[in-house]
Amino acid sequence: MQLSDLQAITHEDLLITRLGQRTVDTPLQDLLGNRQESVHYVTETDRVLVDDTLGIAKNRVTHTADLPAFNPGGPRAKLFFDPSEVTAAIVTCGGLCPGLNNVIRALVLHLKHAYGCRDVLGFKNGYQGLADGSDPVRLTPDLVRDIHNRGGTILGTSRGNQDPATMIDTLVRHKVDMLFVVGGDGTLRGAARLAAEANRRGLPIAVVGVPKTIDNDIPWIDHSFGFQTAYARAAESITAAHVEASSGVNGIGLVKLMGRHSGFIAAHATLVAQGVDFTLIPEVPFTLDGLLAGVRKKLADQGHAVVVVAEGAGQNLLPASTATDPSGNRKLGDVGAFLRGALTDGLSDLPFSLRYIDPGYAIRSVPANAFDAVYCTRLAQAATHAAMAGFTSMMVGSRRGRFINMPIKLATATSNHVDPYGDLWMAVLETTGQPLTL
């Protein structure tokens, strides 16, 4: 997301689609009844500002009340659905991510215990389970009680698009009133198509997204769930590489991490692990000659070097690929293997040892850590509140610490990237000491 995206946003871009008037009293009235206005709570009549610097806000040249602002997350006094008559459904899509089971568990418990929802169904294997005619699983508090202690998703997952009409037919057949879709940008686009198909038929089905991407590339929100767990695990691999490199003569540690188009995992893991000399991300180009010269100098100065590379970095140095995965993403060249060979060949005049570590899927298949577990619970609660209010074609998230409801159309219009001119990348450069350009 660029500054121009922020400057171009308007009030209309932030409007949430609603299924209709909210006329049902919430069962959470005791919780809401005596709630006072607070700096730590945004009421349903308030809004969460998009702008967080005075300069950007002043440049809009508009009245304060007209500044663009997000619909706040949280419970509503009046609901669109009668919770006692609701059948809800959950589907998890795309790649694995720490916290999927936490989200499932929190959705089920909140729907059943807080709202008294009639039934909660889980469709197996992503959108495929909504299209292949298979029966869903009935999700109960007892069934999900301990699932947060393990990685993966009890519902299974898959990639690829399915026919929205067929999936809506499935929801209608099972009398589903609201669908919670847990996934990344491709999954969220599919959710928007589902909401559009339901609207075309005049069906009051709420479709609410819970953003999941280990790369942290969904814009407008602070982060997606599972991201902190992932970079914490990635940092352990960096630490191992540093131990290997620093224990030998001219040791080189090379670690490849996830990050197709966004280098957030590599950047944050670098800041956690320390001891990294070069961090390479998709957003900041580098040359092979520059990297070789930098590593050679580090070996001469300190006797070892550690290089961290995101999987999407340096793709211009590899043969172009036209192959795609089931989600339509272009398959990347293996930059880790490429750099391992390039370092071996480029430094062949030196005695050195190279240790290559690719934690790969290991960082996404683990249970959520404490921070992500809390975030998953709060996202699930926010999603439940939004669906009960009759909001649809939207997703929940946290922005500047405030929970918000956001149109899926806005969330999928751009992507989140490490800003080469932002303070995160500045912190990486200060930590590694690498040159501005390689």
Side-chain angles (χ1 to χ4, degrees), residues 113-396:
H113 293 330
Y115 278 102
C117 179
R118 179 174 60 190
D119 213 356
V120 185
L121 306 177
F123 285 92
K124 301 282 284 185
N125 302 322
Y127 285 144
Q128 179 180 315
L130 284 168
D132 63 9
S134 59
D135 290 329
V137 178
R138 179 162 278 100
L139 298 173
T140 65
D142 283 342
L143 181 66
V144 303
R145 188 176 310 279
D146 299 318
I147 64 173
H148 60 298
N149 294 320
R150 61 182 190 261
T153 163
I154 62 165
L155 294 178
T157 184
S158 66
R159 295 184 183 273
N161 296 320
Q162 303 290 339
D163 177 40
T166 301
M167 292 191 286
I168 290 294
D169 288 343
T170 299
L171 296 178
V172 171
R173 186 167 65 253
H174 291 282
K175 297 180 172 57
V176 171
D177 302 292
M178 55 184 65
L179 176 67
F180 298 95
V181 178
V182 188
D185 55 352
T187 299
L188 292 172
R189 290 187 182 94
R193 289 191 288 269
L194 279 170
E197 176 64 16
N199 180 66
R200 187 186 68 80
R201 299 190 196 185
L203 298 172
I205 299 176
V207 181
V208 175
V210 180
K212 175 229 62 162
T213 163
I214 205 166
D215 290 351
N216 198 42
D217 56 2
I218 294 179
W220 302 106
I221 60 175
D222 297 335
H223 48 83
S224 51
F225 75 82
F227 168 64
Q228 191 189 82
T229 303
Y231 75 69
R233 285 298 182 121
E236 294 176 5
S237 295
I238 296 174
T239 298
H242 183 264
V243 169
E244 289 283 349
S246 61
S247 298
V249 177
N250 285 341
I252 301 172
L254 173 62
V255 182
K256 186 181 82 168
L257 299 174
M258 287 186 168
R260 290 182 56 85
H261 306 295
S262 302
F264 287 104
I265 290 180
H268 281 82
T270 292
L271 296 176
V272 172
Q274 304 288 307
V276 179
D277 299 300
F278 304 96
T279 300
L280 311 174
I281 61 174
E283 297 89 339
V284 180
F286 69 94
T287 65
L288 188 56
D289 288 343
L291 177 62
L292 288 171
V295 171
R296 186 180 290 273
K297 186 175 187 305
K298 279 293 178 183
L299 293 179
D301 291 345
Q302 65 184 26
H304 67 274
V306 176
V307 180
V308 171
V309 58
E311 62 182 327
Q315 291 298 306
N316 60 305
L317 305 176
L318 283 70
S321 172
T322 58
T324 58
D325 65 20
S327 297
N329 300 312
R330 180 176 62 86
K331 290 186 176 180
L332 300 175
D334 190 343
V335 69
F338 170 77
L339 289 181
R340 178 174 55 182
L343 288 167
T344 300
D345 294 341
L347 302 173
S348 58
D349 59 310
L350 296 176
F352 72 92
S353 61
L354 190 151
R355 299 291 183 263
Y356 175 52
I357 298 177
D358 179 2
Y361 299 115
I363 70 171
R364 72 176 198 174
S365 58
V366 298
N369 67 12
F371 180 92
D372 277 325
V374 171
Y375 189 45
C376 288
T377 296
R378 299 197 66 188
L379 284 172
Q381 291 171 349
T384 305
H385 293 318
M388 286 293 178
F391 299 159
T392 190
S393 197
M394 51 79 61
M395 57 160 262
V396 294

Side-chain angles (χ1 to χ4, degrees), residues 411-436:
T412 57
T414 57
S415 295
N416 195 27
H417 298 280
V418 176
D419 184 352
Y421 301 101
D423 59 3
L424 173 61
W425 186 240
M426 181 185 293
V428 171
L429 295 177
E430 289 178 306
T431 300
T432 63
Q434 69 193 69
L436 292 176

